[in-house]
Amino acid sequence: MLKIDKDLLKDINFEDLDFTLVDRYQKFLFLNVDDYSVAIAKLLLKYRPDKKIIATIYQVGVPSLIMQSIGSVMVFGMNKILLMFSSTAAAVFGVYFKLQSFIFMPIFGLNNGMIPIIAYNYGARNRKRIETTMKLSIGLAVGIMFVGLAVFQIFPKQ
């Protein structure tokens, strides 16, 4: 570890010097490393993982992991099945998936915008706004899906 005598640096006015961002970071790191590294080490020695908190994290995370994995496993399996027939069938499935994503992407965006609104209003205990957001989001999502359905049904060969 690099040791710098702080008394030598005490008379330097660092504010008058023209530092880049990296230089400022290095100044902070070298001048304060002893104080902070000891404090961080003491905190880490006291830290013990809480099994209850870890279990809660897994309760929320594992279902999400499974849901995301199911899509990938399904596409993998479908490609394996289609490749037994022909590579054209797998290519058509890939094109369909790309076209389908044009319909699903706005809904995913709608979902990503809806979640913070619901979360903030849940914290504020504003049930009316939560219900309004849910109804509006579901209505928009169903509308987008009907437009997508219509496009796929009207133009099936294109």
Side-chain angles (χ1 to χ4, degrees), residues 1 3 6 32-46:
M1 182 182 297
K3 295 276 186 185
K6 292 181 183 178
N32 299 309
V33 73
D34 293 332
D35 301 331
Y36 288 111
S37 62
V38 170
I40 290 171
K42 285 180 181 177
L43 279 174
L44 289 176
L45 288 174
K46 292 179 185 177

Side-chain angles (χ1 to χ4, degrees), residues 24-92:
R24 287 176 187 244
Y25 176 73
Q26 288 174 344
K27 175 186 79 164
F28 170 80
L29 186 69
F30 289 133
L31 293 179
N32 299 309
V33 73
D34 293 332
D35 301 331
Y36 288 111
S37 62
V38 170
I40 290 171
K42 285 180 181 177
L43 279 174
L44 289 176
L45 288 174
K46 292 179 185 177
Y47 176 74
R48 294 289 177 255
D50 187 352
K51 291 178 184 175
K52 223 177 193 183
I53 293 173
I54 292 172
T56 305
I57 291 170
Y58 277 111
Q59 282 179 332
V60 173
V62 168
S64 178
L65 173 77
I66 291 170
M67 287 298 294
Q68 288 184 351
S69 299
I70 286 173
S72 299
V73 170
M74 188 275 304
V75 170
F76 175 77
M78 193 68 175
N79 277 329
K80 285 290 191 186
I81 292 168
L82 291 173
L83 283 173
M84 289 191 294
F85 295 103
S86 73
S87 61
T88 306
V92 169

